């Protein structure tokens, strides 16, 4: 009956179904399952039967979103909004209470205006689609957001968003200048009408708390016509440990045109098993400037000109995404990610270099796992140091050397298999405690981790309970996020396991 009532509500009151275009899919529809799975990045929960949406709604127009919100509210249904489906814990497509998914797959237009160097991008677009659209118009413009092209704009911008140009231009949301949001009452607001606080909150306070962001106006950034990329890999026997150690002392102090991240993996098998560190870099300049800079700042890597590739900025996007730089740019439009698999991830911020003895313990633990595991260490500093902690909800700015993302992936199905790998990553996370930020031990909301704590008691979560995870993601900004939430969504319509709770819950 709830389903029928919902459909009736949609068709009678809001004319959403009169355009002869199907936008609502129930589990009877042959398209329901493919649609549900289409953008699910982490298929850990694929076979779960208890957490499936009653309906999937794929609006073409904002009025259909407004209608879906009002009909969900009327029928006591929760709403999960999905843009690219990359949420690490599946919060855009899973819920323990009856719910519908509003999937923004059909709302992904991108309008680039090179005259004023801005663009409007709808939330359902992917990063790859955005980069492609910019590159079609200009070879000297880009945008500083994440690396994987299939990531959705909606969730990514809602949590901050960082990639190879964060040291020069900050986060994706540091470059957002306007937005359209459907609020919990179905009203459409822009920057002016939503007010300063809400506009602040949606730029990094995490997806799924304040409403549905329809589109974002971004400031494009200027990039040189030629940039340089390199990837140099070293195993432990080739001195990886020492170079990683040295990297920590220079990485946040480098000129902001230079981004060097490290991807650390377990590789090989049996006696050949080892740890490999890949130094993966984007330099917003040419090889002749990069080589002397590297020789001065990180001579331990012995970077040679032949390790480097000069290319246009959009080719560097392809290069970082794992494509060859001369493959067709249209690959960026592929919404199916290259990396889809079951995984669990966690994150940390590092403020002091980890001693060599500490690194040794990490290598030992990486070698204990038989599945693919990696640690991605993304440098901070540069522009990130200039932006005050309170400027946006993402507070991990000055004083942080780099971010670590820990990741374990596996293929086999089954809860035991899943538990085994989750236990392993928790053990690694526990080991890292002395080497990373503390009080609070900080984490990045876009690397969603429900181990940090959840709203276990909807509507009753206390400030103390929510602060356990909230201050890790947002530090002191968490309080302001709660204030904003209390104003715009006091009855907590938009909620999930880690959404910002409203003030009445504090009682
Ligand atoms: P999804 O649709 O799952 O949404 C995530 C959350 O936001 C959910 O809670 C959802 O309800 C909410 N939401 C979605 N659309 C919304 C909207 N329009 N309005 C309000 N709320 C909305 N991060 C990074 O900073 N740099 C990187 O390089 C990468 N790389 C990367 C690679 C891969 C393979 C994965 C799986 C993830 C990343 N990420 C990342 C993390 C990524 O930024 C994060 O998972 C984003 O939240 C994903 O956004 P989606 O829209 O794809 O997710």
């Amino acid at each position: 009956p709830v389903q029928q009532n919902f459909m009736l509500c949609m068709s009678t009151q809001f004319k959403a179904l009169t355009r002869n275009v199907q936008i609502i899919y129930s589990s009877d529809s042959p398209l329901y399952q493919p649609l549900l799975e289409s953008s699910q990045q982490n298929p850990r929960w694929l076979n779960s039967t208890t957490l499936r949406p009653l309906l999937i709604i794929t609006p073409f127009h904002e009025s259909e979103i407004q209608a879906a919100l009002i009909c969900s509210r009327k029928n006591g249904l929760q709403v999960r909004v999905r843009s690219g489906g990359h949420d690490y814990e599946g919060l855009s497509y899973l819920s323990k209470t009856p719910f519908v998914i509003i999937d923004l797959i059909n709302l992904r237009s991108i309008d680039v205006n090179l005259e004023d160097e801005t663009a409007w991008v709808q939330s359902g677009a992917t990063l790859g689609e955005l980069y492609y659209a910019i590159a079609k118009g200009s070879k000297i413009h880009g945008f500083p957001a994440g690396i994987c092209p299939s990531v959705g704009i909606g969730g990514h911008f809602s949590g901050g968003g960082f990639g190879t140009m964060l040291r020069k231009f900050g986060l994706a949301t540091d470059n957002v200048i306007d937005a359209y949001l459907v609020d919990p009452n179905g009203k459409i607001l822009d920057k002016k009408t939503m007010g300063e606080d809400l506009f602040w909150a949606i730029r990094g306070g995490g997806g799924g708390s304040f409403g549905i962001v329809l589109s974002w106006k971004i400031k494009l950034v200027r990039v040189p016509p030629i940039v340089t990329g390199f990837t140099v890999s070293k195993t432990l026997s080739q001195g990886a440990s020492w170079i990683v150690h040295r990297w920590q002392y220079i990485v946040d102090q480098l000129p902001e045109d230079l981004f060097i991240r490290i991807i650390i993996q377990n590789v090989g098998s049996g006696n050949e098993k080892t740890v490999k560190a890949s130094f993966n870099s984007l330099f917003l300049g040419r090889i002749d400037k990069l080589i002397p800079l590297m020789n001065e700042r990180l001579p331990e890597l012995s970077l040679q000109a032949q390790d480097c590739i000069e290319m246009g900025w959009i080719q560097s996007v392809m290069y970082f995404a794992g494509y060859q730089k001369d493959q067709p740019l249209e690959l960026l439009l592929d919404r199916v990610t290259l990396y889809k698999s079951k995984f669990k991830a966690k994150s940390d911020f590092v403020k002091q270099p980890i001693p060599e003895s500490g690194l040794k313990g990490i290598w030992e633990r990486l070698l204990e796992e038989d599945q693919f595991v990696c640690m991605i260490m993304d440098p901070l500093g540069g522009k990130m140091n200039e932006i005050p902690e309170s400027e946006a909800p993402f507070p991990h700015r000055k004083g942080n050397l780099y971010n670590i993302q820990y990741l374990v992936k596996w293929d086999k199905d089954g809860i035991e298999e899943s538990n085994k790998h989750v236990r392993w990553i928790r053990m690694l996370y526990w080991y890292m405690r002395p080497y990373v930020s503390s009080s609070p031990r900080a984490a990045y909301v876009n690397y969603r981790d429900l181990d940090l704590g959840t709203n276990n008691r909807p509507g009753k979560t206390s400030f103390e309970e929510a602060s356990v995870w909230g201050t890790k993601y947002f530090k002191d900004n968490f309080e302001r996020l709660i204030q904003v939430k209390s104003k715009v969504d006091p009855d907590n319509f938009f909620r999930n396991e880690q959404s910002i709770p409203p003030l009445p819950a504090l009682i």
Side-chain angles (χ1 to χ4, degrees), residues 41 81 83-87 92 123 147-148 152 155-156 162 208 213 444 446:
Q41 172 63 28
V81 54
S83 289
H86 283 51
D87 191 279
S92 55
S123 283
I147 288 173
C148 178
H156 187 66
F162 60 64
V213 183
Y444 174 33
N446 262 349

Side-chain angles (χ1 to χ4, degrees), residues 426-477:
R426 286 180 181 153
M427 179 273 296
L428 175 63
Y429 186 73
W430 182 84
Y431 168 78
M432 291 300 291
R433 201 167 40 146
Y435 305 117
V436 297
S437 65
S438 57
S439 309
R441 182 172 180 178
Y444 174 33
V445 68
N446 262 349
Y447 298 156
R448 179 99 60 193
D449 178 7
L450 294 186
D451 290 354
L452 301 180
T454 57
N455 299 327
N456 280 329
R457 302 181 299 135
K460 295 197 185 95
T461 309
S462 72
F463 180 69
E464 283 70 29
E465 280 171 302
S467 294
V468 171
W469 57 265
T471 53
K472 290 186 165 76
Y473 290 143
F474 306 112
K475 294 169 79 175
D476 290 346
N477 293 332

